[in-house]
Amino acid sequence: MAEPEFDPYGTNMTGTTILAMVYQDGVMCVADTRTSTGTFVANRASDKIDYISDYIVGMRTGVSSVTQNSIREAAYEVEVHATELGRLPHVKTAVKILHDILYKDKLSGAFLVAGWDPYKGPQVFNVMLGGASVESKVVFAGSGSGFMMGYIDDHYREGMTFAEAR
Amino acid sequence: GTMYDLSATTFSPEGKIFQIEYAQKAIDNSETVVGVRCKDGILLGSDKLLFSKLLVPGTNRRIYNIDYSVGAVLAGKVPDGRALVSHCRKEATKYNYSFDIPIAGRILSERLGLFVNAHTLYGSVRPFGASVILASHCPEEGYQLHMVEPSGQAMGYFSCTAGKGKQVVKAELEKKAFRELTCREALVPLIKMLILSHE
């Protein structure tokens, strides 16, 4: 009989399901709240949606210490940039900044960045594990996202209202 | 001034730094350059003398590309100006790389101003003997014109000029409303101004 895999010094991971989509009035972000260390649930009420700037959020998957830190660093750099710029940052700028933080040290994390800017409106991006970032209308990530894929494929349409998107 | 002009690290009793003023003098004795913001773009012009028949025409340029969306014309000493252009290019491309957006003229000129100002703070370097007039365009802010002077001052202009004939050109610029003209319409009057400043 095989022993279930247990890693006593395991790093906190977010065994996650997260999703973001563009709908009629903006972007909608959804995340579960479980943080796990191996099979142990370390935090059952974690907030995986983090602030990057006033109109941009990031959702984390991967090793918690890495992702929390990366998001904070990204929020800091976006703020400095936006202050110098004197206006709201592009969502793609936040994505680029986050990407560079991950890619520089080849960190283990993947993010969904969702937000609104006055230049292109609501956008969602998937910043994937290797570093690639893709813009899309719906993005989902995390170990639980496979289950979402089928449902989304069937039910997503562009320009849904808030009620429909829920 | 007598002993207050030996170094850029010394203020005069009137609050001036003479070395910076002398750097400005170097520009005032150079060829005239002008930048004008028109309705649909920016015109940069330079009065460049071929002082010898042995020179290849078109050599020793004063007008440079900084970036896909930024151009510059140099006033004053061309070698000093080229060092500034080189810095601008690095700054603009690095900005685009970091933030995925083209650098706004306002931001580039302020950063160049910081760079130029840094060369007026120490005894081991000398101020730049050149001004840079930056023409830029970005989707959010449109066409912009900025000039950075040896003191590090960076200001936005509708039209600006520097060099030998700057008083003449300035007077002409104030007379004509270039803001309402297209670049094509403004080209000939601008060239006429530069020729006029020659006299």
Side-chain angles (χ1 to χ4, degrees), chain B residues 162-198:
Chain B
K164 264 190 281 230
K166 74 171 181 197
Q167 299 294 10
V168 175
V169 175
K170 219 180 194 183
E172 293 295 314
L173 286 172
E174 280 165 7
K175 277 193 230 162
K176 208 170 176 78
F178 278 99
R179 253 172 278 181
E180 270 101 67
L181 301 176
T182 64
C183 284
R184 197 142 289 203
E185 289 164 358
L187 186 58
V188 174
L190 195 71
I191 295 176
K192 285 196 178 149
M193 270 198 286
L194 281 173
I195 295 175
L196 197 68
S197 75
H198 232 126

Side-chain angles (χ1 to χ4, degrees), chain B residues 19-25 27-28 33 73-76 80-81 84 108-120 126-134 146-157 159-163 166 170:
Chain B
Q19 277 299 310
I20 298 179
E21 311 231 336
Y22 297 159
Q24 186 60 42
K25 265 270 167 11
I27 299 169
D28 293 342
V33 296
V73 66
L74 307 172
D80 283 14
L84 294 178
L108 182 58
S109 68
E110 279 175 11
R111 289 193 180 192
L112 185 63
L114 276 175
F115 180 73
V116 169
N117 176 256
H119 288 74
T120 65
R126 65 162 175 84
F128 287 96
S131 285
V132 182
I133 298 180
L134 289 166
H146 294 269
M147 181 157 78
V148 182
E149 290 168 17
S151 57
Q153 186 156 273
M155 298 209 275
Y157 291 87
S159 47
C160 58
T161 173
K166 74 171 181 197
K170 219 180 194 183

